[in-house]
């Protein structure tokens, strides 16, 4: 909500102007933006027939079974907001899902990620034109950085997860918010501001920590409220768009059996408990993934882009020559906090840095030629790193994993009416087996937070809907953060081990009762 510093506030309201000519890029630049969008989308094509990742399979399974049930989303529970599942439901209706020897294959899910990435690049180009109408190298640099990072497997591509689906909504919110601030207050500015609030909430409804647009809007208002025309009206319009979108989403979710209180508990309350559990009892795999995440951040070139553009933005902030510098710096700082506090340190966390990075690139100013040359070198490295890693991943044959072996075994030996519980995590095994799970937790972290003594699991195992099959990571249910003694005893008494695939043990229930 920043006003252009070179535009004086009119004493009377003139007719609302069209976009200034400076924001209209030359034809070659428009063609370059279109080419970047096409490249970003096509980068996903070699992976359309690849098996879905564990999260992708799990979200798709929940979207397929979301209706009134016994848990948050039907009969299953996950710490994610509802818009994410609606997007996966859209992908489910857009294309077929099959189960191959290598896992669940759903090209429409990958296409969803491809379209979100392409849209993010397009919005990056439009945003760069808005904030850097006279700095060609900054506009082009923002587009190139967005394309390279969104095509880089170092940032989790080609996994369609919450971050990649939320990024275009963040960029849309920033574009609408800044576009509104550059206009006199009127009907167009009102609509743009309401739309920015709607986009802000929509991003958080895909991934709950992606409140980037809210952070940017708050800082922008605090920093430049005296230069903003009708700040109270703009804040009210933004809030109405945000709250209205939230209300619509909660009503729609309630119609499918998901209460607002349940969503709040899953996306807010749960995260505090999860942070405490991870901090107190996480296994060695967690710091290992953290080191891998840091290595990917450095190797992708994202760290170099961040350092260089942050220095340039700090200079602009000190000189007060760029009103977007402080909000952009706070925005990327928030995104870094989101990556660091995610807890599990998966590579796709880094995708959440894209909006802040491209905004910093777009507002960067280089007063000396050597700065421009250095920036060009950094961007060139980002492109090279993404290309090298993409080629390596795209040409790596897809082999049959132990997860896929378990899925194949269950499809061959289980009856359609059988149930299965996977202890713990890897919801893709449930999805790939074609069976359902009577246990609401398909991911491991919710088990450690919501059922640490496995009392709910043991109630399921001993109840009327007890699963015929149990899959454990190792020879027992015991793992970090859990007290599994009683559940393991029950498993040993009522189930027999049938097969082993890698670390997975497959157990089958006795028909005649306990041994």
């Amino acid at each position: 909500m920043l006003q252009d510093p070179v535009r004086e506030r009119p004493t009377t309201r003139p007719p609302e102007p069209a976009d200034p000519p400076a924001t209209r890029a030359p034809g070659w630049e428009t063609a370059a933006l279109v080419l970047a969008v096409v490249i970003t989308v096509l980068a996903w094509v070699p992976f359309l027939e690849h098996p879905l990742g564990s999260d992708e399979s799990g979200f798709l399974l929940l979207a397929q079974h979301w209706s009134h049930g016994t848990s948050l989303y039907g009969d299953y529970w996950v710490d994610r907001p509802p818009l994410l599942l609606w997007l996966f439901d859209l992908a489910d209706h857009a294309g077929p899902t099959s189960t191959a020897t290598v896992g669940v294959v759903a090209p429409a899910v990958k296409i969803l990620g491809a379209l979100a990435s392409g849209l993010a690049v397009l919005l990056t180009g439009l945003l760069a034109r808005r904030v850097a109408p006279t700095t060609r190298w900054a506009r082009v640099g923002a587009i190139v950085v967005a394309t390279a990072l969104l095509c880089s497997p170092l940032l989790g591509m080609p996994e369609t997860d919450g971050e990649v689906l939320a990024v275009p909504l963040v960029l849309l919110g920033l574009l609408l918010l800044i576009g509104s601030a550059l206009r006199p207050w009127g009907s167009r500015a009102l609509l743009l501001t309401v739309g920015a609030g709607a986009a802000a909430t929509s991003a958080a409804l895909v991934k709950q920590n992606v409140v980037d647009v809210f952070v940017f809007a708050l800082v922008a208002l605090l920093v430049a409220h005296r230069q903003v025309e009708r700040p109270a009206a703009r804040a009210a319009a933004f809030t109405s768009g945000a709250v209205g979108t939230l209300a619509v989403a909660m009503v729609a979710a309630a119609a499918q059996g998901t209460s607002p209180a349940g969503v709040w508990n899953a996306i807010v309350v749960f995260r505090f408990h999860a942070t405490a559990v991870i901090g107190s009892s996480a296994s060695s795999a967690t710091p290992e993934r953290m080191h891998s995440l840091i290595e990917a951040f450095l190797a992708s070139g994202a760290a170099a882009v961040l350092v260089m553009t942050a220095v340039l933005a700090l200079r602009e902030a000190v000189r007060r020559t760029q009103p977007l510098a402080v909000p952009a710096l706070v925005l990327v700082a928030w995104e870094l906090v989101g990556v660091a506090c995610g807890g599990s340190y998966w590579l796709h966390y880094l995708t959440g840095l894209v909006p802040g990075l491209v905004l910093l690139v777009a507002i960067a100013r280089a007063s000396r030629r050597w700065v421009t040359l250095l920036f060009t070198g950094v961007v060139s490295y980002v492109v090279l790193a993404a290309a090298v890693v993409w080629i390596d991943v795209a040409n790596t044959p897809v082999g049959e994993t132990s997860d896929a072996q378990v899925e194949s075994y269950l499809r061959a030996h289980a009856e359609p009416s059988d149930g299965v519980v996977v202890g713990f995590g890897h919801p893709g095994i449930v999805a790939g087996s074609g069976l359902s799970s009577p246990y609401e937790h398909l991911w491991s972290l919710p088990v450690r937070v919501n059922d640490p003594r496995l009392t709910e699991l043991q109630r399921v195992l001993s109840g009327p809907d007890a699963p015929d099959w149990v899959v454990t990571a190792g020879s027992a249910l015991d793992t970090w953060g859990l007290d599994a003694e009683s559940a393991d005893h029950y498993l040993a008494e009522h189930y027999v081990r049938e097969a082993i695939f890698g670390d997975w043990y497959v157990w089958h229930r006795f028909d005649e009762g306990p041994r």
Side-chain angles (χ1 to χ4, degrees):
M1 287 180 280
L2 298 176
Q3 195 167 19
D4 191 339
V6 301
R7 178 178 294 168
E8 297 181 357
R9 185 181 303 172
T11 55
T12 60
R13 181 174 298 137
E16 294 190 8
D19 289 342
T23 63
R24 298 193 180 104
W28 71 265
E29 198 171 310
T30 300
L33 175 58
V34 172
L35 178 61
V37 172
V38 171
I39 290 173
T40 305
V41 173
L42 291 181
W44 289 69
V45 170
F47 307 102
L48 295 185
E49 296 298 329
H50 280 214
L52 299 183
S54 186
D55 280 353
E56 293 171 309
S57 298
F59 296 147
L60 185 62
L61 178 66
L62 265 64
Q64 292 169 336
H65 294 84
W66 184 10
S67 61
H68 289 269
T70 59
S71 190
L72 181 63
Y73 294 111
D75 294 327
Y76 298 121
W77 195 96
V78 68
D79 57 318
R80 291 292 183 271
L83 183 52
L84 176 65
L85 298 187
W86 281 321
L87 291 173
F88 271 83
D89 183 62
L90 177 64
D92 180 47
H93 285 85
T97 300
S98 61
T99 305
T101 57
V102 292
V104 178
V105 176
V109 171
K110 299 297 186 184
I111 292 174
L112 179 65
L115 294 177
S117 298
L119 180 58
V121 172
L122 176 61
L123 291 169
T124 295
L126 298 178
L127 179 63
R129 291 181 186 181
R130 176 64 68 183
V131 304
T134 61
T135 312
R136 180 180 301 171
W137 67 269
R139 297 196 304 270
V140 175
I143 295 169
V144 173
V145 167
T147 302
L149 293 181
L150 290 170
C151 291
S152 176
L154 291 172
L155 273 69
M157 183 268 188
E159 183 174 352
T160 302
D161 222 309
E163 287 82 3
V164 74
L165 297 177
V167 162
L169 293 169
V170 172
L171 291 168
L172 176 62
L174 295 176
L175 177 63
L176 295 176
L177 195 63
I178 295 172
S180 167
L182 294 178
R183 289 181 176 276
W185 183 246
S187 58
R188 288 188 180 181
L190 172 65
L191 290 175
L192 290 173
T193 308
V194 171
T201 295
S202 297
L205 286 171
V206 173
K207 186 72 186 297
Q208 62 264 40
N209 67 300
V210 185
V211 293
D212 303 33
V213 183
F214 291 104
V215 171
F216 182 89
L218 177 61
V219 176
L221 184 61
L222 291 175
V223 169
H225 65 278
R226 294 182 179 178
Q227 290 77 41
V228 175
E229 182 184 2
R230 303 285 299 275
R234 292 178 186 270
F238 181 86
T239 302
S240 67
V243 173
T245 302
L246 178 63
V248 170
M250 291 301 97
V251 170
Q256 290 185 253
T258 299
S259 69
V263 173
W264 173 262
N265 178 69
I267 67 175
V268 178
V269 177
F270 171 84
R271 295 311 308 178
F272 288 101
H273 295 314
T275 300
V277 169
I278 292 173
S280 63
S281 57
S283 69
S284 59
T286 300
E288 289 173 1
R289 287 197 303 269
M290 181 183 68
H291 294 151
S292 297
L293 186 75
I294 295 173
E295 291 172 358
F297 183 45
L298 296 172
S300 67
V305 172
L306 173 61
V307 171
M308 182 170 185
T309 55
V311 170
L312 295 175
L314 280 171
R315 185 187 65 177
E316 299 293 332
V318 171
R319 296 178 177 179
R320 299 184 179 182
T321 55
Q322 172 51 268
L324 295 177
V326 172
L329 287 167
V330 175
L331 171 63
V332 80
W334 167 256
E335 292 170 348
L336 286 169
V337 169
V339 173
C341 296
S344 297
Y345 305 112
W346 304 108
L347 290 181
H348 56 78
Y349 287 6
L350 295 175
T351 304
L353 298 175
V354 170
L357 288 178
V358 298
L359 182 59
L360 284 178
V361 172
I363 68 173
R365 300 287 189 274
S367 58
R368 297 180 182 275
R369 180 174 176 80
W370 70 266
V371 177
T372 304
L373 293 175
L374 179 60
F375 177 81
T376 303
V378 169
V379 172
S380 299
Y381 172 79
V382 173
V383 173
L384 179 62
V388 169
V389 179
W390 183 91
I391 291 172
D392 180 64
V393 173
N395 287 280
T396 300
V398 179
E400 187 179 31
T401 63
S402 57
D403 287 31
Q405 291 174 328
V406 173
E407 296 165 24
S408 298
Y409 181 87
L410 292 174
R411 290 196 305 271
H413 294 83
E415 297 294 331
S417 60
D418 290 352
V420 62
V421 167
V422 178
F424 295 98
H426 294 256
I429 293 179
V430 178
S433 69
L435 306 178
S436 61
S437 173
Y439 188 47
E440 64 175 334
H441 297 305
L442 302 182
W443 280 264
S444 63
L445 189 56
V447 178
R448 307 180 202 282
V449 175
N450 296 333
D451 192 22
R453 296 184 179 275
L454 301 185
T455 52
E456 181 185 346
L457 174 60
Q458 187 167 341
R459 187 163 52 247
V460 169
L461 295 178
S462 60
D465 297 323
D468 294 273
W469 302 89
V470 174
V471 180
T472 59
S475 59
L477 293 166
D478 186 44
T479 183
W480 68 270
L482 297 178
D483 179 0
E485 182 178 356
S486 179
D488 272 331
H489 179 73
Y490 188 90
L491 179 70
E493 285 294 315
H494 293 81
Y495 289 80
V496 62
R497 189 179 67 210
E498 292 280 359
I500 301 176
F501 301 99
D503 293 332
W504 293 116
Y505 284 58
V506 181
W507 303 76
H508 189 227
R509 189 175 183 85
F510 278 108
D511 291 332
E512 65 273 17
R515 285 182 289 180

